[in-house]
Amino acid sequence: MDNSNGKLAIFFDLDDTLYDHLVPFREAVREVLQPDETRLIYADLFYKVRHHSDLLWPKYLRGELALEETRVRRLELAFAEYGIELEREQAVKIQAAYIGRQYSIKMIEGAAEQLQRFISLGHKVGIITNGPQDHQMSKLRGLGVDKLIPENMIFISDAVGLAKPDPAIFAHVNRVTGTTAEQSLYVGDTWDNDVVGALAAGWKVCWYNPRGRQPGTEHKPSHIFTSYREFSELPLI
């Protein structure tokens, strides 16, 4: 992956790319529901939660749904689609337990080393993530990412006023950081938001796909990896 000055702009998604969202979700569901885990695949259920979150998020951005209603509603829709009856009170409790666990999280094995590798080599490294600013920054601080990446290289949708998959957020990042799309690489796990959005902006994309999800469209990411050990071996630099 060559460019004119040998340096890249490498931006990472946060949720399910630098840390595993499934861990706090699983523990929250266990706390509130004590479900029969012989009939529940948490990864499949959580995938549905993420899907409904992506569908509802534009309504939140337009002011049609409050943030907490967006979060609770995505749980209700996902659980219903999975075939689990979830009362509103249970959904509220799961959401509260889920949020409470998101500030005591750890980076996925090998992720911190890759951030440090690119930084030490002089590449521009940053974060692009959807979500509320305070909430996402609390997670970044919990992971220690704020000690590696300066605040001016962290772009959070609610603060920017643009959200993935809109290619405009990637173009905004290029303008603010003085980078170009041709020199930019995005690393993320979500097909529509991360792969499709970044490719539409002219960026190269590394799709993090540890659970073997199928592509949602005909788009072609530059690379696919299932672990940060695999990522470290990709011909990026």
Side-chain angles (χ1 to χ4, degrees):
M1 183 173 176
D2 298 325
N3 58 65
S4 58
N5 62 9
K7 300 300 179 183
L8 307 177
I10 305 173
F11 287 83
F12 289 77
D13 174 44
L14 171 59
D15 300 316
D16 280 331
T17 297
L18 292 183
Y19 83 98
D20 190 350
H21 233 153
L22 181 61
V23 175
F25 174 76
R26 181 181 62 225
E27 296 308 310
V29 174
R30 282 174 172 168
E31 176 186 321
V32 176
L33 297 184
Q34 296 89 45
D36 178 0
E37 297 190 355
T38 64
R39 303 175 61 184
L40 173 59
I41 301 174
Y42 283 103
D44 290 347
L45 175 57
F46 185 62
Y47 180 77
K48 295 182 185 300
V49 173
R50 291 287 302 273
H51 174 69
H52 284 289
S53 181
D54 290 343
L55 292 179
L56 291 170
W57 204 253
K59 293 184 178 181
Y60 160 69
L61 292 176
R62 293 193 297 267
E64 297 172 16
L65 287 175
L67 178 59
E68 195 61 23
E69 176 63 20
T70 303
R71 290 168 164 171
V72 171
R73 186 63 181 146
R74 69 182 178 180
L75 293 174
E76 292 175 326
L77 292 169
F79 276 74
E81 186 178 331
Y82 197 81
I84 298 176
E85 184 177 346
L86 190 67
E87 297 176 358
R88 168 55 63 118
E89 182 180 359
Q90 292 173 314
V92 170
K93 287 181 178 180
I94 290 172
Q95 177 60 33
Y98 176 43
I99 289 292
R101 285 171 167 80
Q102 287 188 35
Y103 306 136
S104 299
I105 49 180
K106 296 180 180 179
M107 268 201 257
I108 294 168
E109 183 177 359
E113 289 80 1
Q114 292 309 302
L115 293 177
Q116 292 165 340
R117 176 170 73 112
F118 293 127
I119 292 168
S120 67
L121 292 172
H123 301 287
K124 290 189 175 184
V125 179
I127 302 292
I128 304 173
T129 177
N130 282 357
Q133 183 176 16
D134 290 346
H135 181 50
Q136 297 303 84
M137 280 305 304
S138 292
K139 287 187 280 189
L140 289 167
R141 286 191 288 268
L143 293 170
V145 172
D146 62 317
K147 295 180 174 62
L148 297 172
I149 297 175
E151 189 171 348
N152 65 356
M153 293 295 287
I154 296 173
F155 297 86
I156 300 172
S157 64
D158 276 21
V160 174
L162 298 165
K164 301 178 296 180
D166 188 344
I169 191 170
F170 298 96
H172 170 80
V173 169
N174 282 144
R175 286 193 300 272
V176 171
T177 60
T179 57
T180 66
E182 293 76 18
Q183 291 176 299
S184 298
L185 170 70
Y186 193 59
V187 182
D189 72 293
T190 303
W191 184 262
D192 289 338
N193 279 357
D194 300 336
V195 176
V196 175
L199 287 176
W203 289 34
K204 295 180 174 62
V205 180
C206 285
W207 183 31
Y208 178 46
N209 187 24
R211 298 188 175 101
R213 300 294 181 191
Q214 293 301 307
T217 61
E218 296 298 316
H219 292 78
K220 300 292 183 183
S222 308
H223 300 281
I224 301 172
F225 68 103
T226 62
S227 71
Y228 277 93
R229 179 193 58 77
E230 285 186 13
F231 181 77
S232 70
E233 298 170 353
L234 294 176
L236 303 178
I237 55 178

